[in-house]
Amino acid sequence: MQPQSAALPSFSSQTLAVLTPLRTGAARSRAELAAHTGLSPSTVTARVDPLIASGVIVEDGTDDSRGGRRPRRLAIRGDLGTVASIDLGVERSTIGLVDYAGTPLAHHHLVLDLVEGPDAVLRRVARELDALAEANGAPTVTGAAIALPGPVSAETGRLVAPSRMPGWHDVDVAALLSEVLEVPALASNDANCMAVGELVGGDPEALNQVFIKAGSGIGSGVVAGGQLYTGRSGAAGDISHVTVPGAAPVPCSCGRVGCLDAVASGSALTRAAQEAGRDVSDVETVIDLARNGDALATGLLREAGSMTGGVLATIVNFFTPDRLVVGGSLSASDVFIAAIKSKLWADCLPMATENLEVAVPRHARTGGILGAARLFLDAVFGTEAARSSLRVSARS
């Protein structure tokens, strides 16, 4: 890979006032920027014109007319740079390249053995990214983002006791990725990245969303007011270790028993099916058995969906989101989804669910890399405080 070590662009708060609505899709023209920001048309023009002159944004056609002349459409210039985006998974990982307008350029799925440790895994990722860029003629990589299947501290940027990643605890993965690729890098939890990925190409009015990743493990990400909400520590929305009332006392990696991850995750269902004598290697096989009428598999999925729905009911009652998105491998099970919905409608107040959309992901296979890239770009096109989340190794 041919990284670019040039300094990332920096923008004033006044400039960000017009850049941010263009990036999020809230505005697409000078007129829409004026309406969205409350700035006068002349002020919008005074801020937009220098950005066009410097090549940060472009006028790339005309938008629909609402009477009078058709407005010129504004957009972030994609070829300002390229983000190498990685979504690490226990069973499957995805790598991709995304331009600075947030447009995906290429992606590739692969299997990585996370037990090999962070250094070996990230160097393998770098080789795979290099091959992906070469095969697709992608532009120079100027930054990197990675989604991790474990908690990431908002204060230190380090992984905190990931249950299925031995050897990764307390590793500053973003700093290591920056060293390997020689570009600034950012790391976040995978469910958080997938939650942000739902905003790409979505309804700009759906500002409050909860994303549940129900795969080999269970986690969630929260979007409030159109922005990822992680809380002070970075663990906001992490439902993995919520104790499920009445659940079997299955030991969890956190040291407690009966946690949602331990009793309702894909790994938990696979283990339960194996203990019952079924020849299964992963949760996808359990789902296939249920589709073919296997009573045990169907019961396991229904019970897991009901337990997950019970935990989510508290979140929905408290937060009343616009959308609840269920992703991960378990989202492919109609039985699991139906059980979640049934529990939600039974346990939630009618006011909390009357306008609630329960959906599967818009970007089922690429939501993690799209969300990770967007978080990186949020930092690049953000305040100095936002940019502080980026890690830059001494070699970058």
Side-chain angles (χ1 to χ4, degrees), residues 11-394:
F11 305 101
S12 69
S13 59
Q14 290 184 333
T15 300
L16 291 173
V18 296
L19 272 178
T20 301
L22 291 176
R23 289 192 56 245
T24 60
R28 297 179 299 178
S29 66
R30 287 177 171 83
E32 289 184 3
L33 280 173
H36 180 82
T37 62
L39 298 171
S40 69
S42 60
T43 300
V44 168
T45 295
R47 296 184 185 181
V48 164
D49 284 352
L51 290 171
I52 294 175
S54 62
V56 174
I57 62 177
V58 293
E59 290 183 301
D60 64 349
T62 56
D63 216 341
D64 296 334
S65 174
R66 298 181 181 177
R69 202 156 110 195
R70 297 177 72 185
R72 297 280 288 173
R73 187 169 56 237
L74 300 170
I76 302 295
R77 183 177 160 188
D79 63 0
L80 278 174
T82 305
V83 183
S85 192
I86 305 117
D87 180 10
L88 280 192
V90 174
E91 296 176 352
R92 188 195 67 183
S93 299
T94 304
I95 59 172
L97 301 168
V98 179
D99 73 16
Y100 268 37
T103 304
L105 304 175
H107 72 273
H108 175 61
H109 303 296
L110 66 158
V111 176
L112 298 168
D113 186 0
L114 303 189
V115 177
E116 291 182 357
D119 189 73
V121 167
L122 293 185
R123 293 190 186 283
R124 162 85 187 280
V125 164
R127 293 193 296 271
E128 295 284 350
L129 283 166
D130 196 29
L132 184 67
E134 184 176 354
N136 291 274
T140 299
V141 167
T142 52
I146 187 166
L148 298 165
V152 178
S153 168
E155 297 174 334
T156 67
R158 295 176 179 272
L159 265 172
V160 181
S163 59
R164 296 174 178 86
M165 301 174 71
W168 292 72
H169 170 62
D170 203 35
V171 174
D172 189 336
V173 179
L176 182 56
L177 183 63
S178 175
E179 179 181 341
V180 171
L181 297 182
E182 300 183 39
V183 293
L186 174 145
S188 187
N189 169 262
D190 56 357
N192 285 341
C193 291
M194 292 175 185
V196 174
E198 278 299 296
L199 300 176
V200 178
D203 179 2
E205 299 301 317
L207 299 178
N208 302 301
Q209 303 189 32
V210 175
F211 186 98
I212 307 302
K213 185 199 175 188
S216 56
I218 293 183
S220 71
V222 177
V223 171
Q227 300 292 321
L228 178 66
Y229 178 74
T230 61
R232 183 185 63 83
S233 68
D238 189 352
I239 61 173
S240 303
H241 302 291
V242 173
T243 302
V244 179
V250 178
C252 181
S253 62
C254 72
R256 299 185 298 166
V257 298
C259 294
L260 182 65
D261 189 80
V263 298
S265 66
S267 295
L269 298 187
T270 302
R271 182 177 59 251
Q274 290 170 342
E275 291 172 351
R278 297 298 190 272
D279 183 17
V280 298
S281 58
D282 50 40
V283 73
E284 285 84 357
T285 313
V286 177
I287 293 170
D288 286 340
L289 285 175
R291 289 189 182 120
N292 291 320
D294 186 280
L296 173 79
T298 301
L300 289 173
L301 288 163
R302 184 178 293 117
E303 183 180 16
S306 182
M307 289 188 288
T308 303
V311 172
L312 294 177
T314 300
I315 295 173
V316 169
N317 274 327
F318 176 78
F319 184 47
T320 61
D322 303 301
R323 298 179 78 231
L324 174 66
V325 184
V326 184
S329 52
L330 280 168
S331 68
S333 169
D334 292 339
V335 174
F336 182 78
I337 297 294
I340 286 178
K341 289 182 178 180
S342 177
K343 190 65 173 174
L344 285 175
W345 263 256
D347 289 5
C348 289
L349 293 170
M351 285 182 64
T353 57
E354 62 181 348
N355 294 314
L356 175 68
E357 177 190 2
V358 180
V360 294
R362 290 190 174 94
H363 314 286
R365 304 293 294 264
T366 58
I369 59 171
L370 291 176
R374 178 155 175 170
L375 287 174
F376 179 89
L377 294 172
D378 284 346
V380 171
F381 293 98
T383 62
E384 285 303 315
R387 291 160 67 89
S388 67
S389 63
L390 301 178
R391 296 288 194 270
V392 181
S393 77

